[in-house]
Amino acid sequence: MAQQDEVKTFEELGICEQLVNACKSQGWLNPTKIQVEAIPHALEGKDLIGLAQTGSGKTGAFALPILQALIESPQPFFACVLSPTRELAIQIAEQFSSLGSDIGVRCAVLVGGVEMVQQTLILGKQPHIVVGTPGRLVDHLSNTKGFSLRKLKYLVLDEADRLLNEDFEKSIDEILNVIPRERRTYLFSATMTKKVKKLQRACLRNPVKIEAATKYSTVESLKQLYLLVPAKYKEFYLVYILTEKSGCTSMVFTRTCESTRVLALILRNLGLKAIPISGQMSQPKRLGALNMFKAGECNILICTDVASRGLDIPSVDTVINYDIPSNSKDYIHRVGRTARAGRSGVAISLVSQYELEWYIQIENLIGKKLDQYPAPEEEVLLLSKRVSEAKRLSQTKINECNEGGKRRKGQGDEGDEDIERYLGFKNGRKSKKFKKK
């Protein structure tokens, strides 16, 4: 590896001039560590298992070799990339489209929450790259006339540790049964467990294993802190931290979908620009919230783990774990939303008396003791009256909206629409890129 460590440019990795120029237009002046180690093996035609910290350039590590192979042998349905979440799939497709814009690369995104007819029309245009979630891809393979991956050359499992779990097992098996065995297969993730049998199921042939990070690690530019808080005061501490970081862009992770909505309402009642995103929201609303956050219209995103994997939002300064994840590996993915690509960032975990065991598991996993975030309780409790009143108003608004929805529709769905309007969602707002796809 000594020689590879000296590589400074994409040209020296063997990337062709067209793609080198595409990298420059993306602002990629030098390859990252995972790109340096993975791309030469990929260009030699090897299967890969890549372990790298989130935000380290994994997408480029598999997209560039695939696009270079596509330039040499163009054909429809050349590569398929699988992702565990819809948002990550859309982001990967955007990366392929950006890197391949000068060579006419066509991409299709196959995710749930969108009508299949719309996606079928895209598939009819014979895209080169298909990016999707396993369940929706299986739906199209089963039901979309004329669509198959029998000539597929590349299969990528991004966030492979999630895709190799039981949740996706049936769908992954169905996909593997209908694609060629003679193909290149890449598995990439920030965390990887030794699921030998499941890796064999993915039909890797003598894969090169690349570890551009220790097994479970966070980047050095990330400052990680914790704060022990009584559960009943958690909202006060959250508001205290967000007020102290009022000029920052923050992601706040909660355990439940309901919590995202309630916390966003509380924060907005306090004058903070917060917006929620969770798996219970429709796909256009999820993408609308993400776009508002990326555009800076709201600087606080309240989210579940639907937003913890792979999303690249360079402007995120702070990640707050309002609820500690019960699976300690999810912590690594959450805090990886900040301090990306060499930037600095801060992660703060609010630890209640009921979450101490989960927090200790996180420290054991990452192999370090975290420093305490300075938040004097007497200062925090000065906020108690304002926050309690904001919470009361939020609960009143939820009750009013839900009652209004029941009166109009006989159920609560329209109440959700009322709350979303109150939270600042714009009627009919959708991602332009998503609409296009």
Side-chain angles (χ1 to χ4, degrees), residues 244-262:
E244 282 218 316
K245 296 185 171 294
S246 57
C248 297
T249 303
S250 303
M251 292 179 73
V252 179
F253 283 95
T254 71
R255 192 168 296 116
T256 66
C257 299
E258 181 63 19
S259 294
T260 63
R261 188 169 70 163
V262 172

Side-chain angles (χ1 to χ4, degrees), residues 54 218 222 224 319 321 330-339 347:
T54 187
T218 51
L222 173 67
Q224 300 174 79
V319 167
N321 287 301
D330 288 337
Y331 171 85
I332 291 171
H333 291 282
R334 287 181 179 187
V335 302
R337 297 315 97 216
T338 187

Side-chain angles (χ1 to χ4, degrees), residues 151-169:
K151 295 184 178 179
L152 191 78
K153 301 299 182 189
Y154 286 83
L155 174 69
V156 181
L157 274 64
D158 196 19
E159 303 296 343
D161 60 326
R162 272 281 305 278
L163 290 172
L164 293 170
N165 279 344
E166 290 177 7
D167 297 351
F168 298 101
E169 189 166 6

Side-chain angles (χ1 to χ4, degrees), residues 51 65 145 153 163 205 234 243 292 333 369 396 430:
L51 176 62
K145 190 175 180 182
K153 301 299 182 189
L163 290 172
R205 295 177 301 176
K234 220 181 210 190
T243 304
M292 290 168 77
H333 291 282
K369 295 285 182 187
T396 301
K430 295 182 183 180

Side-chain angles (χ1 to χ4, degrees), residues 16 54 62 68 102 111 139 144 148 206 208 261 304 309 325-326 332 378:
C16 67
T54 187
F62 62 75
Q68 183 143 317
D102 290 341
V111 297
D139 287 344
T144 299
S148 85
N206 300 318
V208 176
R261 188 169 70 163
T304 58
R309 293 248 175 182
S326 55
I332 291 171
E378 60 274 16

Side-chain angles (χ1 to χ4, degrees), residues 17-274:
E17 186 179 354
Q18 283 173 291
L19 292 176
V20 168
N21 291 335
C23 290
K24 287 176 183 173
S25 69
Q26 295 289 303
W28 299 1
L29 302 179
N30 301 101
T32 65
K33 186 176 180 184
I34 187 65
Q35 291 165 357
V36 167
E37 300 206 14
I39 287 172
H41 292 299
L43 293 178
E44 288 171 10
K46 304 281 181 61
D47 286 1
L48 302 177
I49 299 174
L51 176 62
Q53 294 156 330
T54 187
S56 61
K58 293 195 302 295
T59 305
F62 62 75
L64 289 169
I66 288 172
L67 290 172
Q68 183 143 317
L70 179 64
I71 291 170
E72 293 166 3
S73 305
Q75 70 164 60
F77 304 112
F78 188 75
C80 175
V81 184
L82 296 176
S83 148
T85 69
R86 300 170 183 180
E87 286 75 19
L88 179 55
I90 293 163
Q91 181 178 286
I92 292 167
E94 289 174 349
Q95 192 81 79
F96 268 100
S97 296
S98 297
L99 288 170
S101 58
D102 290 341
I103 56 174
V105 168
R106 298 187 301 276
C107 293
V109 181
L110 307 182
V111 297
V114 185
E115 287 190 15
M116 285 185 64
V117 175
Q118 190 180 342
Q119 296 171 350
T120 300
L121 293 173
I122 300 292
L123 290 174
K125 295 178 181 177
Q126 304 278 295
H128 302 106
I129 314 290
V130 175
V131 188
T133 49
R136 180 50 65 96
L137 180 61
V138 168
D139 287 344
H140 279 288
L141 287 169
S142 304
N143 302 310
T144 299
K145 190 175 180 182
F147 171 54
S148 85
L149 296 176
R150 286 193 296 270
K151 295 184 178 179
L152 191 78
K153 301 299 182 189
Y154 286 83
L155 174 69
V156 181
L157 274 64
D158 196 19
E159 303 296 343
D161 60 326
R162 272 281 305 278
L163 290 172
L164 293 170
N165 279 344
E166 290 177 7
D167 297 351
F168 298 101
E169 189 166 6
K170 186 172 181 291
S171 297
I172 295 290
D173 278 339
E174 289 184 44
I175 294 164
L176 291 173
N177 284 335
V178 296
I179 62 175
R181 287 185 171 273
E182 293 295 317
R183 63 168 194 273
R184 299 276 67 79
T185 305
Y186 302 155
L187 274 61
F188 280 88
S189 187
T191 56
M192 186 80 75
T193 53
K194 292 184 178 178
K195 299 173 182 171
V196 178
K197 288 183 181 176
K198 291 189 176 182
L199 294 177
Q200 287 173 346
R201 276 199 308 108
C203 303
L204 276 78
R205 295 177 301 176
N206 300 318
V208 176
K209 189 171 182 183
I210 296 153
E211 294 193 36
T214 53
K215 191 174 181 184
Y216 301 113
S217 65
T218 51
V219 294
E220 290 180 12
S221 57
L222 173 67
K223 186 176 184 181
Q224 300 174 79
L225 304 162
Y226 78 97
L227 190 52
L228 290 174
V229 303
K232 63 181 179 179
Y233 295 156
K234 220 181 210 190
E235 289 145 348
F236 306 161
Y237 278 90
L238 176 64
V239 173
Y240 177 84
I241 293 168
L242 289 173
T243 304
E244 282 218 316
K245 296 185 171 294
S246 57
C248 297
T249 303
S250 303
M251 292 179 73
V252 179
F253 283 95
T254 71
R255 192 168 296 116
T256 66
C257 299
E258 181 63 19
S259 294
T260 63
R261 188 169 70 163
V262 172
L263 284 177
L265 280 166
I266 291 170
L267 295 174
R268 286 185 82 88
N269 282 329
L270 291 166
L272 298 169
K273 293 181 179 178

